[in-house]
């Protein structure tokens, strides 16, 4: 059974940092594009960052220079290092895995709350 499990969310003050982790199980994800998305209350889910199997990265403009996505294929894990957090970063953060053959998988989400 394929699963993505996020961890590392929590409550932090503005300007602080958090590191999210997403560990995949059920098969190897080394060939997948992995990503982080977020959904704030009353808003649509939006892309935060992605990393391809070749480690190319892409970021939403709102997080460029503050967030860093990385992956460890040996651990089947993708990370999101979040620095200089702002109240507008408050959301449920979801891990995503995609490849053309298997399709898309989502984690259950982890809450990130940034207080002002």
């Amino acid at each position: 059974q394929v699963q993505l499990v996020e961890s590392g969310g929590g409550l932090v003050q503005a300007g602080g940092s958090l590191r999210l982790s997403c560990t995949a199980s059920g098969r190897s994800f080394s060939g997948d594009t992995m990503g982080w998305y977020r959904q704030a209350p009353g808003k649509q889910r939006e892309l935060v960052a992605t990393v391809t199997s070749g480690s190319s990265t892409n970021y939403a403009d709102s997080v460029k220079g503050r967030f860093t996505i990385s992956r460890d294929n040996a651990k089947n894990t993708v990370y999101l290092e979040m620095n200089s957090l702002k109240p507008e970063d408050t959301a449920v953060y979801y891990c995503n895995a995609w490849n053309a053959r298997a399709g898309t998988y989502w984690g259950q989400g982890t809450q990130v709350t940034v207080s002002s």
Side-chain angles (χ1 to χ4, degrees):
Q1 181 181 1
V2 172
Q3 273 192 314
L4 301 178
V5 179
E6 302 100 333
S7 61
L11 173 64
V12 64
Q13 287 189 330
S17 299
L18 282 175
R19 187 194 197 204
L20 305 183
S21 299
C22 170
T23 299
S25 60
R27 63 170 175 84
S28 171
F29 283 76
S30 61
D32 290 51
T33 292
M34 305 293 292
W36 289 94
Y37 291 72
R38 67 186 181 187
Q39 187 166 18
K43 295 188 176 182
Q44 289 190 332
R45 191 173 297 189
E46 63 177 4
L47 170 73
V48 176
T50 60
V51 56
T52 68
S53 58
S55 296
S56 294
T57 57
N58 179 55
Y59 295 92
D61 288 342
S62 59
V63 307
K64 282 181 181 176
R66 300 188 298 122
F67 291 11
T68 302
I69 189 170
S70 61
R71 65 191 297 164
D72 184 338
N73 289 333
K75 296 181 178 180
N76 247 9
T77 299
V78 61
Y79 304 98
L80 186 68
E81 187 75 35
M82 305 186 294
N83 299 313
S84 303
L85 282 161
K86 305 175 181 180
E88 50 264 43
D89 294 318
T90 295
V92 178
Y93 283 69
Y94 296 91
C95 178
N96 172 275
W98 177 88
N99 73 55
R101 184 172 63 179
T104 299
Y105 295 93
W106 291 96
Q108 82 288 351
T110 186
Q111 176 70 47
V112 171
T113 303
V114 184
S115 63
S116 56

